[in-house]
Amino acid sequence: MRKRDGKWNTLDGVLNESWKMLSRGADHFNDPFHWPVLGTTAKDGASLRCVILREFLLPGRILVCHSDARAEKVQEISASAQVSWLFYHPQKKVQLRISGHATLHADDQFADEQWADVKATSRLNYCAIEPPGTPVDKPSSGLPDFLRRKVPTLFETEKGRHNFMAIASRIDSMDWLVLRVLGNRRARFDWDETGLHTRWLIP
């Protein structure tokens, strides 16, 4: 490891730096960790898509993203709460593979708090008339006429609240990998009822 990578020479250092990277990813739209891949279980196998990391909550180890309540990933999480996340930072050459259990929030305080922080332009994602994945004859956002081709007001986008879903996923395990020319490094972190278990792994 390079000298400046000293923070990754201990398992505590790896974990603390991973938390910092996830926090930066949630707070900064141009950070690579802002755009993770979320994996769920579909009827025909794994289902993957990029999402936006909206929040990372410590000490609960909670990753938060948003969805249209009518989307397939919501149906898949309803059937199986086990989810996976993939984060990769191309400059730092750090990959995090995370698994855990997700909960869905539509009509509770957590969802209300998340919705309150969504900008008007992002709220458009939940204002489509038909559910995500509905076949159409030509390219379409699915938005009603009064919301097309303009910047909406918060009041106008309130119509999307009933389609809004917050997804909160607790981290149960995390596989950390850093890529280096002179040798990669890998570590594993698992949480259960007895606490945290850590170990180094061969990459």
Side-chain angles (χ1 to χ4, degrees):
M1 301 282 279
R2 294 175 292 184
K3 185 176 181 180
R4 65 187 178 91
D5 290 341
K7 58 196 172 186
W8 292 332
N9 285 336
T10 67
L11 289 166
D12 283 344
V14 168
L15 185 59
N16 289 334
E17 184 61 22
S18 297
W19 289 164
K20 290 177 183 178
M21 292 180 70
L22 289 170
S23 294
R24 284 194 295 268
D27 293 340
H28 301 285
F29 75 92
N30 58 349
D31 189 281
F33 271 28
H34 193 63
W35 306 89
V37 173
L38 174 65
T40 54
T41 302
K43 293 179 180 179
D44 56 352
S47 181
L48 306 173
R49 79 283 291 161
C50 287
V51 296
I52 296 176
L53 180 63
R54 297 294 183 178
E55 197 165 7
F56 175 55
L57 302 172
L58 284 173
R61 311 186 312 274
I62 303 297
L63 301 167
V64 181
C65 67
H66 299 162
S67 175
D68 189 303
R70 302 166 294 177
E72 288 184 358
K73 62 178 171 291
V74 171
Q75 301 171 27
E76 291 161 359
I77 292 172
S78 295
S80 175
Q82 184 72 32
V83 298
S84 298
W85 299 74
L86 176 64
F87 295 83
Y88 183 67
H89 198 295
Q91 288 77 42
K92 296 184 177 182
K93 301 294 191 294
V94 170
Q95 173 187 271
L96 295 183
R97 291 189 299 139
I98 291 172
S99 63
H101 289 78
T103 55
L104 301 171
H105 301 267
D107 299 312
D108 57 17
Q109 182 178 349
F110 185 77
D112 288 340
E113 292 171 352
Q114 291 291 314
W115 176 253
D117 289 336
V118 179
K119 296 179 180 179
T121 50
S122 295
R123 288 184 176 189
L124 285 175
N125 295 323
Y126 313 103
C127 293
I129 298 172
E130 299 294 335
T134 299
V136 292
D137 295 330
K138 59 183 179 180
S140 173
S141 65
L143 293 173
D145 290 339
F146 78 95
L147 284 177
R148 292 178 182 171
R149 300 184 182 87
K150 70 170 187 174
V151 177
T153 65
L154 284 175
F155 177 78
E156 289 173 329
T157 58
E158 275 300 318
K159 296 180 180 294
R161 174 63 183 89
H162 69 282
N163 293 327
F164 174 78
M165 179 79 70
I167 300 173
S169 174
R170 185 193 66 216
I171 298 175
D172 293 331
S173 67
M174 182 169 69
D175 192 299
W176 170 89
L177 176 72
V178 62
L179 304 177
R180 290 292 179 260
V181 174
L182 298 180
N184 304 329
R185 297 291 187 272
R186 184 180 174 194
R188 174 89 178 188
F189 304 85
D190 295 282
W191 290 264
D192 61 23
E193 63 277 1
T194 65
L196 170 63
H197 306 274
T198 66
R199 59 194 183 277
W200 294 108
L201 302 174
I202 297 296

